[in-house]
Amino acid sequence: MSLPIYLIGARGCGKTTIGHLLSQTLGYAFNDTDHHLQSSLQCTIAQIVAEQGWESFRDKESASLIQVTTASAVIATGGGIILRPENCQHMREHGRVFWLKAEPQELAKRLTVDPEAGQRPTLTGRPITEEMSDVLKIRSPLYSSTAHHIIDASRPPQEVVDNILQVLSQQRAG
């Protein structure tokens, strides 16, 4: 039985895109904590946050992480999943964690092109490049300490997947 593969990183780093490609390549299931949460509650993340607040959303996000964790699955997580230590511990203990790392300018560019406003509420209300810089200052140490592996997510999606596959094959060989 294969361990789940968790993809962590800031919004816009490509977790969903990479997750789909990686799961297809490996023949794994693909799960996304944000999509699972929205599907089970029948509302967007922005609606949850607006109606119930960030703390309630984070509670629901943690429950979603547990619910989507299965063997032989690639799991794309919400960007803030690492804000709760119990989530970090769960992922590290139950699977392999890959941080899809990208610079704030790259993330802002991607989010401007594909904003998904209903899914990705602003965290600060500031311009996206400033917001991503501020968010990464806080979250980068958390991503780093949670990840088993750091992958350059600024590369094209197939290259990112190939890099992950290379790491996985080295682990199996080692």
Side-chain angles (χ1 to χ4, degrees):
M1 184 158 63
S2 298
L3 294 173
I5 297 169
Y6 297 97
L7 303 178
I8 64 172
R11 61 190 179 132
C13 74
K15 297 179 298 279
T16 301
T17 300
I18 301 306
H20 278 295
L21 284 170
L22 184 60
S23 66
Q24 290 169 356
T25 303
L26 293 171
Y28 280 22
F30 174 73
N31 296 320
D32 182 303
T33 59
D34 285 349
H35 293 155
H36 175 267
L37 185 58
Q38 291 177 105
S39 176
S40 63
L41 296 177
Q42 294 296 300
C43 62
T44 66
I45 289 171
Q47 289 170 316
I48 297 166
V49 171
E51 293 168 13
Q52 300 173 29
W54 279 105
E55 195 63 27
S56 178
F57 165 71
R58 295 291 177 213
D59 291 341
K60 290 169 177 43
E61 181 180 54
S62 294
S64 182
L65 175 65
I66 304 299
Q67 292 163 358
V68 302
T69 295
T70 59
S72 300
V74 175
I75 300 162
T77 63
I81 200 95
I82 44 74
L83 295 174
R84 294 253 173 115
E86 63 269 22
N87 294 339
C88 301
Q89 181 178 351
H90 173 83
M91 291 185 291
R92 284 193 60 81
E93 290 178 356
H94 290 93
R96 302 308 301 161
V97 184
F98 289 85
W99 174 17
L100 303 184
K101 185 177 181 182
E103 294 300 317
Q105 297 80 4
E106 177 67 20
L107 297 170
K109 183 174 88 176
R110 292 178 184 180
L111 290 168
T112 302
V113 171
D114 183 21
E116 292 186 48
Q119 183 180 348
R120 297 174 170 154
T122 180
L123 299 172
T124 63
R126 298 179 50 219
I128 195 68
T129 303
E130 289 177 31
E131 177 174 303
M132 295 317 299
S133 286
D134 292 348
V135 166
L136 286 175
K137 282 178 191 163
I138 295 165
R139 294 184 180 178
S140 288
L142 299 170
Y143 290 133
S144 181
S145 65
T146 302
H148 293 106
H149 309 283
I150 300 171
I151 301 292
D152 180 0
S154 66
R155 312 298 308 156
Q158 189 58 56
E159 197 174 315
V160 173
V161 169
D162 291 344
N163 290 341
I164 293 171
L165 293 170
Q166 183 178 11
V167 168
L168 292 171
S169 70
Q170 289 171 350
Q171 281 187 318
R172 288 188 196 110

